[in-house]
Amino acid sequence: MVLPRGLITAVVTAFNGASNSAVVANVPEPVLNENLNVVPSNTTTLTITGMWLPPTTAGALGVTLTSSAGTSIGCSSYAFPSSTTMTCTLNAVIPVGTLSATLLVPGAVSNTVVVAVVAAPVIYENTSPLNPYSTVVVTGANLPGSSVTTQLVLTHTAITGVTCTTLARNSPSQMTCTFNKQLPPGVLTAYIVVPGYADMSSAVTIGIVYVPEFTANSSLISSTPTTINVVGKYFPVSPATYTAFTLSFAASPITKTCSSLTVVNSTLMTCTIASTNLPFPVGAVLGQLTMTGASAGPGAFSVVSGPLVNQSLVSIPSNQLTLNILGSFLPVAPAPANLTITSSSGIDMPCSTVNRVSGAQIQCTQTSYLPIGNVSASISTFAGFVSTPVIIGVVLAPVIDFNSGSIGPSTTTLRINGTNFPVSTATGNVTIVSSSNVTVACQPTTLVSATQINCGFASLLPIGTLTARITTKGGSSNNVTVAIVPAPVVFENTVLILPNVVRVLTLNGTNMPVWPQTPTVVISSTGGGPSQPCTGVTMVSTAQLTCTINTTLLSPGNLTATVNVLGGSSKPSVVLILVAAGFVVVQPDTTVYSTTLTTLTIRGVGFGSVGNTNVSLTSSFSPRPNATIVSVDSTTIVLALVPSTLQPGTLSAVVNVAGILGMASSNLTVIARFDTGFKVNATRGSSQVGSFSFLNETFTNADPRWVLDPGYWSIGPAVAASCDVGTDPAQDHTSDGSNFIAGVSIGVCTDPYYENYEYIYSPAVNGHWASGSMTLLFYRWLGADYWPMFEAAVEVWDLGSQQWLPLYVNPEDQLVEDTEWVLESYPLDA
C-alpha cells in the first residue's frame, strides 16, 4: 500500500482501552525541480529531477507535460529510479519552446515547473563560393534531427523555385541540401521550418554562386600553343553550367575558340587549341565565359610572348653561311616568321632560306659571306609584331700577325699569318705596300685557312718594309708589317784592275734578286768622274751576279758597285781597285800559310818581267826568309821560298819595276802570314801540333765574316725547346761558358710551312796550299722532318767548278731527332 501524502495519525487500541491519537508520520507532496537546459526537439527520453518522488510507479497517478505552444505531450512510460529522479519516455516531438511538467500522486499534485527548453534552430550566414550544380552545407545550431519534420526554404536572387530534393540532417550543427536545379551566379538564402517555429524573417545567406574571374598570369606562352591553362576562380565545375568560352586578344580584333575546354577545378581550366585556330597575336590573351544566367569576362589570363632572341657575342667566321638564332618563343608553323639579319657595318644580310627548327632555334642560310661587325637578328611575326634586334654573333675583322722576318726580293710566295681570315666562299683582297710606297700585287691570293693566307708574287719585290692589309666585306684588317725585303749587300773585293780593260765582274753578296726583271749595276770611282753602268747583268743566284765592266771611262781609284732594285739599292761597296797606268800596286793577302810553304804568289798590277822586276821582302820575324823570283807577268809574281827560313809571323813586300820613266814601286804590303798550324779539339780545347785549322769558330765572338740569310738563322745563346720534331739544346758544346751557338729558330720551333731556303755562310777558306787532306768537322744538334717536307743541307763552294757541292741532306724516309751534340765529319779532298 502506498501512503497518501499528508500527516499520518495513529491510535493504539488495547483490551481495556485505546491510546491517544497522535501524528506518527508525514508523507510530503512531491516537488519537481526547474530545469532550463536546452534539449533537442527530437528528444525521446526526458529526465526530471525533484524531491519526495514516489519510489515506484504505483505511487504515481501520472505526469502531465505541456509545451509553451499549448501542446500536451504524454509519457508512454515513466520510471522512478529514486526519490529525486524520474524518467519519461515521450510519445511526441517536443515543439520549440519550454516544456512544463506536473506529477500526480495519490492525495497530492506536485508543483508545475519548466523541466526542459527546446531552442529555436539557428542558421549561420555563409558567403563562401557555392558549387552551382551540387549541394550546399548549412551550418548552425539547434538544428532538428531526422525524426523532426523539417523544411529548409531556399531563395535565390536570380531564379525562383529552388528547393532541396533531399535534406540530410548530419548533426545539430549541420545539414546538407541537394538542389533541384543548377544555380546561376547569385545569392542563396534559407530559413528553416520546424514544429513550433516558422519565422521567415530569420532567413540568412547560406552561399553565393560567384561570377567566374580570370587571374592575369605573367608566365608567357608561344604564339602557337596546343593547350592553354586558364587560371582564375569560381569556375563552374559542371560543363552544363557554361555554354561557350571565347578567346580574344588585346592587340587584335580577332577571336579564337577552344576545340575543347576542361574545367579541372574551380581555379583552373584547360583550353585545347586546334591548329586551325593558330597563330595567336603577341600580347594579352582575354577569355569570356558564357554561363547560364551570366557572362564572365572578358578578362586577361595569359600573355603571348613575342620572339625572344638570345644575345650572343660568339665569334662567327665570315664564311659561315648558316646562322643559328637561338632563343625562346620563336614562331613555328603556322605562325609567320620574317627574319631580318643586319650587320653593324650597315650591310643587310637577307636569308635565302629560313629553317624554323623549333621554338628555340631558327636557322638562316646566307648566300654570300658575312661582313665584318656585329650580326643582329630581329623577327616579325603575326599581327605586325617585330622583335627588338639582338646581337647573335660577331664577325671579327681579320688580324694580321706582325712579322719582321726578312725575305729576298725574288720571293715568289709570302705566308701571312693571323686570325679571322676570310676563307671558302668569303673573299679578301690583300694589299701589300712597301715602305718605299710601292704597291705589290698579291697574285694569286690563296686563302689557306682562317689563320693563313699565301700571297704570290709575279714580279720583283721592292726593297723595304712590307705592310699588308686584308680588305673584306664591311671592313678591313690592321695594317701591319709582314716582312722586310732587305737591300742587296755586295761583298767587298779589293781585286786590282788596270785602265782600258773590259772584263766580266763577279759580285758576291746577299739578297740578290733572281728574276727576269734584272737590276741595274752602277760602278763609280772614288777618283771622281762619271759613274758607268755595268752591262750584261746576269743573276746567278741570290748570292751572286755577273756583269761586264769597261774601265776606259772610269777614273783610277776604288771602284764601288751599287745594285739598284725596285724600291731601293745596295750600299756602295768596293769591288775593284782601278790602278792608273805606270803604277805598281800589290794586292794585300792575309791568308795564313804553313811554315812548310815552298811557293808564294804575289798578286797585283803594274808588274813587269823577270828582268825589270825586283821584290824586296820584310818580315815580322828574323832573319828575313830567303826567296827568289820564279816568274813574273803583269798581275802575278811567283816566289820560291826556303821553308827552313820561315817562322810564324807576317811577310810584307815592296815591288819595284824599272820602266821608261824610271823606277815605279809599290807600297809595303802584307803578302802572307805564317803559322806552325794547330787544331782545336772542341771537347777539351787542347792543341794538336801537326795539323792546321783554317777556321775555328765557337761563336763566342763570331768572326764578322759569317753571313746569315735574313730570316730564321741567328747566333746567340742556346735555349731549350721541345717541338713536334726534335728538341733544342739548353747548352752548347764548348767549355768557354759563353753558351753561344749558330742555329735556326734558337729556342723556338721552326715554322714547317716556310718555303724559302735560308743559309749561313762561313768565311772563305783558301786551302790550295794544303799538303794533306782537308776535313770539315762540326758538332750538330738537328731536328728535321722527312725530306722534302723539311730540308737540312750542308754544302761547300768549289772554286774550280764555281758551284755549291752537297755534303749532307737529311734522309727522305726518316726523321732526324738528335738528343745530344753529334760530331759530324766530311772530307773535302775531292
Side-chain angles (χ1 to χ4, degrees), residues 63-363:
V63 178
T64 301
L65 299 175
T66 305
S67 71
S68 57
T71 303
S72 295
I73 299 173
C75 295
S76 59
S77 64
Y78 50 88
F80 297 91
S82 68
S83 61
T84 60
T85 304
M86 68 172 291
T87 61
C88 172
T89 302
L90 303 176
N91 60 3
V93 174
I94 307 174
V96 172
T98 59
L99 183 64
S100 300
T102 304
L103 177 62
L104 303 177
V105 295
V109 178
S110 71
N111 58 328
T112 299
V113 296
V114 175
V115 294
V117 177
V118 176
V122 177
I123 298 176
Y124 296 153
E125 184 177 46
N126 185 359
T127 58
S128 298
L130 184 61
N131 193 333
Y133 73 98
S134 182
T135 59
V136 60
V137 176
V138 181
T139 59
N142 308 315
L143 302 181
S146 58
S147 61
V148 179
T149 301
T150 304
Q151 182 182 4
L152 189 66
V153 181
L154 303 177
T155 304
H156 192 276
T157 55
I159 61 175
T160 60
V162 180
T163 62
C164 296
T165 56
T166 60
L167 183 64
R169 269 77 62 87
N170 307 323
S171 70
S173 61
Q174 186 184 82
M175 294 188 299
T176 302
C177 170
T178 301
F179 310 140
N180 65 332
K181 60 179 65 178
Q182 293 180 355
L183 304 180
V187 180
L188 184 67
T189 61
Y191 65 89
I192 194 168
V193 177
V194 294
Y197 180 76
D199 187 359
M200 293 184 62
S201 65
S202 62
V204 295
T205 298
I206 60 172
I208 299 175
V209 179
Y210 288 92
V211 176
E213 296 179 10
F214 301 105
T215 301
N217 189 351
S218 60
S219 62
L220 304 176
I221 61 173
S222 71
S223 59
T224 54
T226 56
T227 302
I228 303 177
N229 288 330
V230 184
V231 180
K233 56 184 178 179
Y234 314 133
F235 293 156
V237 179
S238 171
T241 305
Y242 57 84
T243 58
F245 182 70
T246 304
L247 300 176
S248 59
F249 305 91
S252 174
I254 66 172
T255 59
K256 304 287 184 178
T257 59
C258 305
S259 60
S260 65
L261 181 68
T262 302
V263 181
V264 180
N265 53 49
S266 61
T267 62
L268 176 64
M269 297 189 298
T270 58
C271 172
T272 302
I273 310 298
S275 59
T276 54
N277 275 328
L278 295 174
F280 286 173
V282 173
V285 181
L286 310 178
Q288 181 162 343
L289 186 66
T290 303
M291 306 169 50
T292 303
S295 179
F301 65 86
S302 191
V303 178
V304 176
S305 172
L308 300 177
V309 178
N310 294 345
Q311 185 181 53
S312 175
L313 298 179
V314 65
S315 176
I316 304 176
S318 58
N319 66 320
Q320 182 173 309
L321 299 183
T322 300
L323 298 174
N324 282 312
I325 294 92
L326 304 179
S328 54
F329 305 109
L330 305 183
V332 298
N338 295 317
L339 194 60
T340 302
I341 308 295
T342 57
S343 171
S344 59
S345 54
I347 299 175
D348 288 332
M349 303 161 59
C351 303
S352 60
T353 59
V354 175
N355 179 22
R356 292 185 276 178
V357 180
S358 67
Q361 180 182 8
I362 293 180
Q363 291 179 335

Side-chain angles (χ1 to χ4, degrees), residues 243-540:
T243 58
F245 182 70
T246 304
L247 300 176
S248 59
F249 305 91
S252 174
I254 66 172
T255 59
K256 304 287 184 178
T257 59
C258 305
S259 60
S260 65
L261 181 68
T262 302
V263 181
V264 180
N265 53 49
S266 61
T267 62
L268 176 64
M269 297 189 298
T270 58
C271 172
T272 302
I273 310 298
S275 59
T276 54
N277 275 328
L278 295 174
F280 286 173
V282 173
V285 181
L286 310 178
Q288 181 162 343
L289 186 66
T290 303
M291 306 169 50
T292 303
S295 179
F301 65 86
S302 191
V303 178
V304 176
S305 172
L308 300 177
V309 178
N310 294 345
Q311 185 181 53
S312 175
L313 298 179
V314 65
S315 176
I316 304 176
S318 58
N319 66 320
Q320 182 173 309
L321 299 183
T322 300
L323 298 174
N324 282 312
I325 294 92
L326 304 179
S328 54
F329 305 109
L330 305 183
V332 298
N338 295 317
L339 194 60
T340 302
I341 308 295
T342 57
S343 171
S344 59
S345 54
I347 299 175
D348 288 332
M349 303 161 59
C351 303
S352 60
T353 59
V354 175
N355 179 22
R356 292 185 276 178
V357 180
S358 67
Q361 180 182 8
I362 293 180
Q363 291 179 335
C364 164
T365 300
Q366 297 282 305
T367 56
S368 64
Y369 67 99
L370 307 180
I372 293 172
N374 295 336
V375 178
S376 299
S378 64
I379 302 173
S380 59
T381 185
F382 185 55
F385 177 83
V386 181
S387 68
T388 301
V390 174
I391 296 174
I392 61 172
V394 180
V395 180
L396 300 178
V399 177
I400 300 175
D401 293 343
F402 175 83
N403 185 4
S404 60
S406 298
I407 61 174
S410 305
T411 300
T412 59
T413 302
L414 174 62
R415 174 178 172 176
I416 300 175
N417 294 324
T419 55
N420 310 319
F421 289 169
V423 295
S424 187
T425 56
T427 60
N429 297 320
V430 180
T431 303
I432 296 182
V433 180
S434 74
S435 55
S436 54
N437 203 29
V438 176
T439 301
V440 181
C442 191
Q443 297 175 343
T445 300
T446 304
L447 299 166
V448 179
S449 68
T451 60
Q452 179 184 347
I453 290 179
N454 288 344
C455 180
F457 302 123
S459 61
L460 205 63
L461 296 179
I463 300 302
T465 300
L466 298 184
T467 58
R469 181 178 68 253
I470 300 174
T471 303
T472 183
K473 185 190 290 186
S476 62
S477 71
N478 54 332
N479 199 33
V480 67
T481 298
V482 291
I484 296 176
V485 181
V489 176
V490 178
F491 295 159
E492 285 196 357
N493 194 346
T494 56
V495 174
L496 304 176
I497 188 172
L498 292 172
N500 304 316
V501 174
V502 177
R503 61 169 288 181
V504 175
L505 175 63
T506 298
L507 299 182
N508 296 317
T510 59
N511 308 319
M512 298 293 189
V514 181
W515 210 274
Q517 296 96 326
T518 55
T520 60
V521 179
V522 177
I523 305 298
S524 303
S525 173
T526 58
S531 299
Q532 298 296 319
C534 193
T535 61
V537 177
T538 302
M539 306 308 303
V540 179

Side-chain angles (χ1 to χ4, degrees), residues 22-96:
V23 176
V24 296
N26 183 14
V27 179
E29 295 179 355
V31 177
L32 300 181
N33 295 335
E34 185 178 47
N35 186 359
L36 298 180
N37 291 338
V38 176
V39 298
S41 58
N42 62 337
T43 298
T44 58
T45 301
L46 181 65
T47 300
I48 303 172
T49 62
M51 296 184 298
W52 303 302
L53 302 182
T56 63
T57 56
L61 301 178
V63 178
T64 301
L65 299 175
T66 305
S67 71
S68 57
T71 303
S72 295
I73 299 173
C75 295
S76 59
S77 64
Y78 50 88
F80 297 91
S82 68
S83 61
T84 60
T85 304
M86 68 172 291
T87 61
C88 172
T89 302
L90 303 176
N91 60 3
V93 174
I94 307 174
V96 172

